[in-house]
């Protein structure tokens, strides 16, 4: 089964036995927790890992600052066989930093990605997912994808709600990218913030069918979330 989980944005080395017992084969973690990720990888050497680089102010953070931060841990990633990296997240979500227009976002991100790819050509950069909770998410995604598609190794997807709602978003990405491969990765899925559900019922009727649907398409899915310590802005 191609399924995984988003790890906590706090320390988790003491929880590694518990995490392994959950039976996941793919993980997403913030770059702040890379040392704990490496401990987990030692015990699960065949698992997949995607590092998400967080910057407090999103695209308001300078390219030089982001490159400096990435340079502080990129060699540890590379030397331990972790090559997948997504820089920033949900650029249409004001919680993640200043929101620009779709084309300005694409232009700024393209310049950032060119700089990073030139410096670290062997790293597999992912296109960051946009939040489907905002009406403009398709416009942002389309603009960024067409601007950056030659520089990326994968496209990340966030999708929430019922099975039909989640599958509809995945299908939209398939049509956009014409991809039915590991280049599409669902990096967040769950029942959706603000929705009150019985988790057992939702998992049976929506969660498991969604994972099975994505498996048939060779798309990895990652449950969001194991544990989250808010706010991200408190992380250094």
């Amino acid at each position: 089964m191609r399924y995984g989980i988003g790890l906590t944005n706090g320390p988790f080395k003491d929880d590694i036995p518990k995490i392994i017992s959950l039976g996941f084969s793919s993980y997403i973690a913030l770059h702040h927790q890379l040392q704990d990720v490496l401990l987990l990888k030692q015990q699960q050497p065949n698992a997949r890992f995607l590092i998400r680089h967080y910057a407090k102010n999103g695209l308001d953070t300078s390219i030089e600052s982001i490159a400096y931060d990435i340079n502080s841990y990129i060699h540890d990633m590379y030397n331990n066989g972790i090559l997948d990296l997504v820089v920033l997240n949900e650029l249409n979500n004001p919680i993640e930093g200043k929101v620009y227009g779709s084309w300005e976002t694409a232009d700024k991100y393209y310049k950032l990605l060119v700089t990073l790819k030139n410096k670290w050509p062997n790293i597999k950069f992912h296109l960051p997912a946009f939040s489907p909770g905002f009406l403009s998410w398709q416009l942002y995604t389309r603009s960024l994808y067409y601007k950056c598609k030659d520089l990326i190794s994968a496209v990340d997807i966030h999708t929430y709600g019922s099975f039909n709602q989640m599958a509809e978003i995945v299908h939209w990405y398939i049509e956009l990218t014409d991809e039915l491969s590991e280049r599409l990765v669902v990096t967040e899925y769950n029942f959706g913030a603000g929705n009150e559900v019985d988790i057992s019922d939702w998992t049976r009727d929506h969660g498991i069918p969604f994972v099975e649907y994505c498996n048939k398409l060779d798309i990895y899915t990652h449950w969001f979330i194991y544990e989250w310590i808010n706010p991200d802005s408190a992380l250094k």
Side-chain angles (χ1 to χ4, degrees):
M1 293 286 283
R2 296 172 178 269
Y3 65 96
I5 195 169
L7 294 167
T8 176
N9 61 350
F12 60 83
K13 64 180 180 180
D14 293 337
D15 289 334
I16 286 178
K18 174 185 173 183
I19 292 169
I20 293 174
S21 72
L22 296 174
F24 292 105
S25 60
S26 186
Y27 301 98
I28 298 171
L30 292 180
H31 74 277
H32 308 89
Q33 307 308 332
L34 182 61
Q35 295 309 309
D36 287 359
V37 168
L38 297 181
L39 293 175
L40 177 57
K41 183 170 174 57
Q42 287 177 7
Q43 299 188 47
Q44 279 192 280
N46 294 323
R48 292 164 51 105
F49 293 87
L50 167 63
I51 302 303
R52 178 182 289 170
H53 182 84
Y54 173 80
K56 182 177 179 180
N57 296 312
L59 281 176
D60 253 8
T61 307
S62 69
I63 292 175
E64 293 77 14
S65 177
I66 292 175
Y68 178 84
D69 286 344
I70 291 176
N71 195 50
S72 70
Y73 65 81
I74 197 82
H75 297 293
D76 284 341
M77 276 182 57
Y78 186 81
N79 290 337
N80 286 276
I82 299 175
L83 302 179
D84 288 85
L85 177 65
V86 58
V87 181
L88 308 181
N89 181 56
E90 292 193 346
L91 296 170
N92 63 333
N93 185 343
I95 293 177
E96 300 286 344
K98 182 177 179 179
V99 175
Y100 293 89
S102 60
W103 284 108
E104 188 174 4
T105 294
D107 187 61
K108 284 177 173 288
Y109 197 85
Y110 175 79
K111 293 175 182 176
L112 169 63
L113 203 55
V114 167
T115 299
L116 298 177
K117 192 68 176 176
N118 285 339
K119 189 172 181 64
W120 300 291
N122 295 322
I123 295 299
K124 299 177 181 178
F125 289 98
H126 288 221
L127 195 78
F130 288 90
S131 171
F134 295 86
L135 294 177
S136 56
W137 72 269
Q138 294 102 325
L139 177 60
Y140 276 92
T141 303
R142 188 180 292 110
S143 301
L144 193 64
Y145 173 73
Y146 285 124
K147 186 77 172 180
C148 301
K149 65 180 182 178
D150 293 333
L151 298 171
I152 58 172
S153 298
V155 177
D156 291 355
I157 302 171
H158 290 180
T159 184
Y160 314 101
S162 67
F163 169 81
N164 287 336
Q165 289 172 317
M166 294 188 293
E168 181 180 1
I169 289 176
V170 169
H171 185 69
W172 184 87
Y173 273 91
I174 290 172
E175 289 189 334
L176 171 70
T177 62
D178 194 28
E179 295 283 357
L180 287 174
S181 69
E182 292 182 0
R183 279 175 58 86
L184 290 178
V185 184
V186 175
T187 51
E188 291 186 16
Y189 81 95
N190 62 25
F191 47 80
N195 292 331
E196 294 185 6
V197 301
D198 181 286
I199 294 179
S200 296
D201 290 346
W202 182 89
T203 300
R204 181 193 64 234
D205 298 335
H206 304 279
I208 293 176
F210 178 69
V211 171
E212 292 173 343
Y213 163 77
C214 289
N215 264 262
K216 292 178 181 177
L217 301 173
D218 287 334
I219 296 173
Y220 269 89
T221 55
H222 298 80
W223 168 256
F224 186 79
I225 200 159
Y226 163 66
E227 181 186 23
W228 206 247
I229 301 170
N230 286 316
D232 281 345
S233 58
L235 299 173
K236 302 296 182 185

